[in-house]
Amino acid sequence: MQMFLDDPVFTVDDQPHTWADVVHAATLRGDWDALESLVREELACLAHAAAAGDAVDRDAVDEAARRFRYDRDLITAAETERWLEQWGLTPAGWMAWVRRSVARSLYTSELAALVSRHPVAQAAIDQVVLVDAVCHGQLARFARTLAERAAAAAALAAAPDDTAVDGAATDPGTGERDAAPVDSGRRAIPGLRSDPGRLATLRELDRAHARFLERVRSTAALGAIVSAHRLDWIRLTCRVLEFSDEPAALEAALCVRDDGEPVERVADLAHAPLRQVRFHLDEVDGALRHRMFSAGPGELVGPVAENGGFRLYEIVGKEVPEENDALVRARATDVALRRAVAVELERRVRWLSPSYATA
């Protein structure tokens, strides 16, 4: 399936970048090592299942394959076959990946032990790692990461040193990872040609990307970003009571609301864990966010069904975001970085195969 690696996946200001560039760049950053670790876990779990006589459930494999197709709008068998063909995958190779993934999901709490117990040869990893890269969506994410770096480097080259980067004070539409370049020293996958000049260019893209981010940090209008997020970034301090079933949570809520019992006493009587947490309003989903926003200090929110149990939240305090708060400034800086990269990505990158880029 390596035949597509020499194909261009995107251009930046008419400069083409291939899938081979994507793989090399991921290897230089160390991201490819993490992918290989995932493959190693999958193969170790398969070996363990075989040794223990645990058959990987066929219904679970079929359901995982169905979910995979549904997530990618591959409704018919013909659409699935075309998708596989464009990546150089066979139906058998894809189903083998599905089975590996399901096997790994059976032993998530034992992965380190199983990897130690069932060593996996590098050759076995090399044989399937590209399949995993495609099917897990990692290759597409690696392509976007490289496109972001190439676009940032092009913007840096085009703008004078004292020019502010476009979009630095606007809300982001896409994510961007702020990470220093890493050179893992790893070799590329077998059969992938390695051009020293091209590798040097990829390393320089990482360095230019880091300089681009530093320029954004120095020019971003953080006050405007904080103002735009004044409601979303309200920080709440809450005491949380946790229950395994809803009736117990409802009874505890009545004790607090109707009988005026303090949450500490209710927690003691119910033998329920009580802990204090802090979070921002935008970290809460949907209707709960509205309830948290409306509740004042001392009020109780819940019961809320979460993580297989039920929780009561007592609002202890609320803090409106201020620009001089270090945590708020860090959030605003992250917004500025992500927005600036997204602007350059939209402006400079042309995807040559959208279906590849959204795998």
Side-chain angles (χ1 to χ4, degrees):
M1 62 166 294
Q2 294 187 15
M3 60 184 182
F4 71 86
L5 289 176
D6 288 329
D7 293 343
V9 60
F10 63 84
T11 64
V12 173
D13 293 348
D14 297 324
Q15 172 65 44
H17 294 266
T18 67
W19 284 109
D21 291 336
V22 171
V23 173
H24 283 310
T27 303
L28 293 173
R29 291 193 308 272
D31 292 342
W32 200 260
D33 290 336
L35 175 62
E36 289 193 353
S37 294
L38 174 62
V39 177
R40 182 175 289 105
E41 290 170 351
E42 291 175 346
L43 293 173
C45 289
L46 267 183
H48 176 74
D54 296 337
V56 179
D57 186 71
R58 180 164 183 170
D59 289 341
V61 172
D62 289 343
E63 173 58 21
R66 187 199 67 79
R67 271 198 321 272
F68 179 94
R69 292 173 56 180
Y70 178 82
D71 290 345
R72 290 157 181 78
D73 292 326
L74 304 174
I75 307 304
T76 67
E79 289 172 333
T80 303
E81 289 172 4
R82 283 195 297 271
W83 189 92
L84 294 173
E85 184 178 353
Q86 77 173 359
W87 288 103
L89 296 174
T90 65
W94 168 57
M95 287 303 295
W97 167 79
V98 175
R99 188 167 178 270
R100 288 197 301 276
S101 299
V102 172
R104 183 180 181 276
S105 71
L106 299 176
Y107 306 109
T108 52
S109 64
E110 309 171 59
L111 292 176
L114 294 185
V115 166
S116 177
R117 193 180 309 163
H118 301 279
V120 177
Q122 184 64 44
I125 296 172
D126 291 340
Q127 188 173 2
V128 298
V129 67
L130 268 178
V131 180
D132 270 61
V134 171
C135 293
H136 278 302
Q138 293 287 66
L139 199 59
R141 286 189 282 274
F142 294 161
R144 182 180 177 87
T145 298
L146 179 59
E148 289 172 345
R149 278 154 170 70
L156 193 71
D161 289 344
D162 59 350
T163 302
V165 178
D166 287 352
T170 321
D171 194 21
T174 58
E176 161 61 13
R177 226 177 33 165
D178 180 9
V182 173
D183 188 340
S184 68
R186 280 270 288 112
R187 54 95 180 104
I189 56 178
L192 184 60
R193 290 189 298 274
S194 179
D195 175 9
R198 194 62 184 153
L199 294 180
T201 297
L202 295 173
R203 292 188 184 97
E204 180 53 36
L205 290 183
D206 276 337
R207 288 190 285 267
H209 171 257
R211 294 195 299 271
F212 175 87
L213 296 184
E214 190 55 42
R215 179 184 293 187
V216 175
R217 286 189 185 93
S218 66
T219 61
L222 299 185
I225 296 174
V226 173
S227 295
H229 289 272
R230 192 160 296 278
L231 297 182
D232 292 337
W233 292 356
I234 289 174
R235 196 176 346 179
L236 296 96
T237 302
C238 300
R239 290 193 289 185
V240 185
L241 269 172
E242 301 191 35
F243 299 88
S244 58
D245 60 272
E246 188 173 21
L250 288 168
E251 183 178 354
L254 286 174
C255 289
V256 175
R257 291 189 178 113
D258 295 355
D259 300 339
E261 292 281 3
V263 291
E264 297 93 334
R265 177 167 172 75
V266 172
D268 287 340
L269 293 174
H271 303 290
L274 176 64
R275 59 192 177 91
Q276 185 161 298
V277 297
R278 300 185 78 190
F279 52 86
H280 292 90
L281 199 59
D282 64 355
E283 297 176 89
V284 182
D285 292 331
L288 179 58
R289 181 184 301 186
H290 178 73
R291 293 165 69 185
M292 291 284 192
F293 177 76
S294 302
E299 293 188 46
L300 200 68
V301 175
V304 178
E306 290 180 327
N307 297 327
F310 295 86
R311 293 175 178 172
L312 298 175
Y313 289 87
E314 182 190 46
I315 308 297
V316 175
K318 288 183 174 180
E319 301 170 55
V320 176
E322 299 291 344
E323 186 182 349
N324 59 3
D325 181 284
L327 183 58
V328 173
R329 287 184 65 83
R331 277 192 148 219
T333 300
D334 182 62
V335 167
L337 298 178
R338 289 185 287 126
R339 174 55 182 169
V341 172
V343 166
E344 298 304 334
L345 189 73
E346 178 67 24
R347 172 184 293 168
R348 299 177 185 278
V349 174
R350 181 169 69 92
W351 293 100
L352 302 180
S353 179
S355 58
Y356 279 162
T358 58

